[in-house]
């Protein structure tokens, strides 16, 4: 199994697929590409069979190729058992699926105004009302998940699963931009930041030498 991902400092979708692959427990080969380079742009145009979507992440498993982070997570869940990613309880699983889908398709203002930049620490970053609404919505999701289904552990639904995988880049964003948060959210962020796979990703991101200027623009706002 091979997972093609983008820069660990910037690629939030790659982070999700990588964490999902780690959670699956399946051994996989990792290939990291610099999505900000000219070589990557050329490769995208010339390698339709290798990269059907022209985007990362991409999972190769023998004859099978899967792109899109949520599709990758679901493919892995099918291979190893869905309980590894999703809560067993029907109500908890329903909420987990809903919030993962919402994260996957929404929060455009936050994505645009607060691009993931694991290495950076930015003070006084100004955001729009739309982005503030996104932040509030994230906190609502976290509060509901923790209050209703978080009794079994420190993660959103108790144990580490799909919801934590999909909100992991948001954790990074909140740290990068110094977003003021209530106590329960700070506790969750600390738990996620110290999680062993997150720490491995963070260390690799800090060691990367690549810089993509368009994702550094937020420093100058």
């Amino acid at each position: 199994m091979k997972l093609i991902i983008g820069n660990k400092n910037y690629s939030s979708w790659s982070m999700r697929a990588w964490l999902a692959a780690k959670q699956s427990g399946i051994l996989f080969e990792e290939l990291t590409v610099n999505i900000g380079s000219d070589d990557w742009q050329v490769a995208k145009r010339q390698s339709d069979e290798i990269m059907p979507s022209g985007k990362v992440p991409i999972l190769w498993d023998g004859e099978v190729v899967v792109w899109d982070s949520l599709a990758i997570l679901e493919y892995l869940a099918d291979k190893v058992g869905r309980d590894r990613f999703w809560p067993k309880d029907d109500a908890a699983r329903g909420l987990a699926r809903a919030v993962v889908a919402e994260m996957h398709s929404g929060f455009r203002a936050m994505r645009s105004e607060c691009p993931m930049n694991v290495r950076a620490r930015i003070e006084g970053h100004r955001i729009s009302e739309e982005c503030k609404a996104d932040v509030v919505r994230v906190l609502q999701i976290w509060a509901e998940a923790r209050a209703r289904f978080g009794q079994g552990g420190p993660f959103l639904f108790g144990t580490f699963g799909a919801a934590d995988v999909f909100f992991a880049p948001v954790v990074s964003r909140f740290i990068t931009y110094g977003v003021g948060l209530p106590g329960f959210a700070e506790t969750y962020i600390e738990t996620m930041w110290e999680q062993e796979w997150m720490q491995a990703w963070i260390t690799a991101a800090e060691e990367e030498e690549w810089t993509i200027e368009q994702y550094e623009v937020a420093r100058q706002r």
Side-chain angles (χ1 to χ4, degrees):
M1 186 175 288
K2 178 184 291 186
L3 182 66
I4 304 172
I5 60 174
N7 311 53
K8 287 186 174 177
N9 191 51
Y10 305 110
S11 182
S12 58
W13 297 110
S14 294
M15 174 189 273
R16 293 181 175 106
W18 188 86
L19 288 173
K22 298 295 282 187
Q23 176 70 354
S24 76
I26 300 172
L27 293 177
F28 64 97
E29 179 185 354
E30 174 186 329
L31 175 61
T32 305
V33 296
N34 179 11
I35 58 177
S37 71
D38 292 339
D39 289 345
W40 170 244
Q41 301 305 321
V42 172
K44 285 198 300 182
R45 292 192 294 269
Q46 296 179 347
S47 305
D48 289 345
E49 293 184 2
I50 298 174
M51 297 173 288
S53 68
K55 299 177 181 178
V56 290
I58 304 164
L59 182 72
W60 281 87
D61 183 20
E63 296 289 320
V64 178
V65 58
V66 186
W67 58 97
D68 184 277
S69 58
L70 183 52
I72 289 170
L73 183 147
E74 291 286 25
Y75 175 78
L76 294 169
D78 286 341
K79 288 184 73 73
V80 301
R82 309 195 71 75
D83 289 350
R84 189 178 288 255
F85 290 93
W86 301 103
K88 294 181 181 180
D89 176 79
D90 286 349
R93 189 171 61 254
L95 179 61
R97 288 189 180 283
V99 301
V100 165
E102 185 176 351
M103 182 71 256
H104 186 257
S105 63
F107 301 95
R108 293 176 186 248
M110 184 170 61
R111 296 182 201 278
S112 175
E113 297 178 34
C114 301
M116 192 173 88
N117 190 331
V118 176
R119 294 191 295 258
R121 296 295 179 271
I122 300 169
E123 297 181 2
H125 183 60
R126 296 187 299 275
I127 59 176
S128 68
E129 291 301 316
E130 290 81 3
C131 187
K132 290 177 184 177
D134 281 353
V135 171
V136 170
R137 178 57 187 148
V138 167
L139 296 178
Q140 290 173 340
I141 289 170
W142 289 3
E144 181 178 4
R146 291 293 302 145
R148 293 180 62 191
F149 304 112
Q151 296 84 357
F155 297 99
L156 290 179
F157 290 83
T159 57
F160 188 84
D164 304 294
V165 166
F166 267 76
F167 281 96
V170 177
V171 167
S172 178
R173 285 178 164 100
F174 283 176
I175 290 174
T176 293
Y177 298 98
V179 177
L181 299 169
F184 84 91
E186 290 282 4
T187 299
Y188 173 64
I189 280 179
E190 290 173 9
T191 296
M192 280 293 292
W193 199 249
E194 295 301 321
Q195 202 265 357
E196 61 175 320
W197 301 326
M198 282 286 284
Q199 278 294 301
W201 181 279
I202 292 160
T203 298
E206 291 173 343
E207 292 174 352
E208 277 183 352
E209 297 181 355
W210 299 320
T211 298
I212 302 178
E213 289 303 322
Q214 72 185 78
Y215 299 130
E216 299 287 338
V217 171
R219 291 176 178 271
Q220 301 161 14
R221 290 187 178 181

